Amino acid sequence: MNAEEIIARGVPEHVAIIMDGNGRWAKKRGLPRTAGHKEGLTSAKKIVAAAAKLGIKYVTLYTFSTENWKRAQEEVGYLMGLIKGHLRAEFEFYKKNGIRVEHIGDLSGLPSDVQTEIINAKKDTEHFTGTTCVLAINYGSRDEIVRGIKKLISNGVSADSITEDTFAKSLDIPSLPPVDLMIRTGGEERLSNFLLWQCAYAEFVFTDTLWPDYNEDEFCADIEKFQQRNRRFGGVPNQ
């Protein structure tokens, strides 16, 4: 099925991706884990560009989790440098594809230079009207939920007035719609503390493909799988 046919059948509004398998991809080739992360960045750009072409409004990428700080210092340092360098160097990529950059996660827990690059990327792309690429950096869903609760308490919101809607407005990006399709590469089948609230009624696709090998064709095939799902949101059809 070509892009026009996929678009005609209706694409998900929000796709979230757990980009798993960079380290294993590198290990299979006798390369350091950092080489896998570098190649994974290339895959991320291809997939975000493909999403923009299909008219998908939001793509959230699990870039660096709150648990990833446990990794070796060398790997963490490389990832921080990769994030910082990518945000600084890719403005023309965002401009060409009309991509707006957003961030989800605890910004204050990141190195100051990475914080600056994230803030600048958001500001530089805020007027683009195509796909919004949400970078989950220093992100953990439980952490986001706890921080959201703290916001409600600090704003003096009473327990009786808290609803699903008011709570959702306390999350990192209140305007972020629920996830329609969650894709995880690398063969694992779990959420790993990613967008637990937003994935309440998401459809899931798991693939054994390691993230650096994941390409536009497989992404389109996963969109087609989504289009074949019967989404009931807890209800029963025709009642």
Side-chain angles (χ1 to χ4, degrees):
M1 189 180 297
N2 59 37
E4 290 75 17
E5 291 172 322
I6 293 173
I7 293 169
R9 294 182 61 183
V11 297
E13 180 182 20
H14 183 185
V15 177
I17 306 176
I18 299 176
M19 306 177 292
D20 196 11
N22 290 343
R24 282 172 285 158
W25 181 92
K27 184 178 180 180
K28 285 174 63 176
R29 290 159 176 78
L31 300 171
R33 290 178 60 86
T34 52
H37 294 311
K38 184 176 181 180
E39 192 66 25
L41 174 58
T42 300
S43 292
K45 289 177 61 178
K46 290 178 181 177
I47 298 308
V48 172
K53 183 179 179 181
L54 292 173
I56 294 169
K57 294 297 184 182
Y58 294 87
V59 176
T60 301
L61 303 177
Y62 208 1
T63 307
F64 189 90
S65 77
T66 49
E67 290 74 34
N68 286 157
W69 297 107
K70 301 173 185 176
R71 296 186 177 185
Q73 185 175 356
E74 179 184 1
E75 183 176 358
V76 170
Y78 181 85
L79 285 166
M80 288 296 111
L82 193 65
I83 291 168
K84 182 176 67 174
H86 166 71
L87 291 169
R88 182 181 304 166
E90 298 298 343
F91 177 76
E92 289 303 319
F93 169 76
Y94 302 137
K95 181 179 179 180
K96 177 183 177 182
N97 293 283
I99 293 166
R100 181 167 68 99
V101 175
E102 265 291 0
H103 170 256
I104 191 170
D106 184 3
L107 186 68
S108 66
L110 289 165
S112 58
D113 53 351
V114 176
Q115 291 184 41
T116 298
E117 294 301 334
I118 291 172
I119 292 167
N120 288 343
K122 289 175 59 175
K123 183 177 180 181
D124 291 344
T125 63
E126 63 184 359
H127 58 289
F128 295 153
T129 57
T131 296
T132 296
C133 180
V134 182
L135 300 175
I137 304 173
N138 196 27
Y139 178 82
S141 190
R142 290 179 175 179
D143 176 70
E144 180 188 23
I145 290 169
V146 169
R147 287 187 288 105
I149 293 169
K150 289 179 178 179
K151 288 178 190 176
L152 292 173
I153 293 171
S154 66
N155 290 332
V157 179
S158 67
D160 290 342
S161 65
I162 296 176
T163 64
E164 289 186 12
D165 288 339
T166 56
F167 176 72
K169 290 176 182 177
S170 75
L171 296 175
D172 289 350
I173 306 178
S175 61
L176 188 66
V179 175
D180 297 300
L181 172 61
M182 167 70 74
I183 298 170
R184 180 168 187 155
T185 63
E188 303 290 354
E189 298 185 3
R190 54 178 176 267
L191 274 176
S192 297
N193 197 20
F194 186 43
L195 299 176
L196 303 179
W197 178 272
Q198 296 88 342
C199 279
Y201 281 101
E203 299 294 325
F204 292 81
V205 172
F206 299 105
T207 173
D208 290 335
T209 304
L210 301 177
W211 177 246
D213 292 327
Y214 190 79
N215 58 32
E216 299 95 318
D217 289 341
E218 187 166 0
F219 180 63
C220 288
D222 288 342
I223 299 298
E224 290 180 49
K225 292 176 185 175
F226 167 82
Q227 293 171 332
Q228 295 165 8
R229 303 283 175 87
N230 180 15
R231 305 186 76 197
R232 297 186 297 274
F233 299 96
V236 178
N238 302 320
Q239 286 190 5

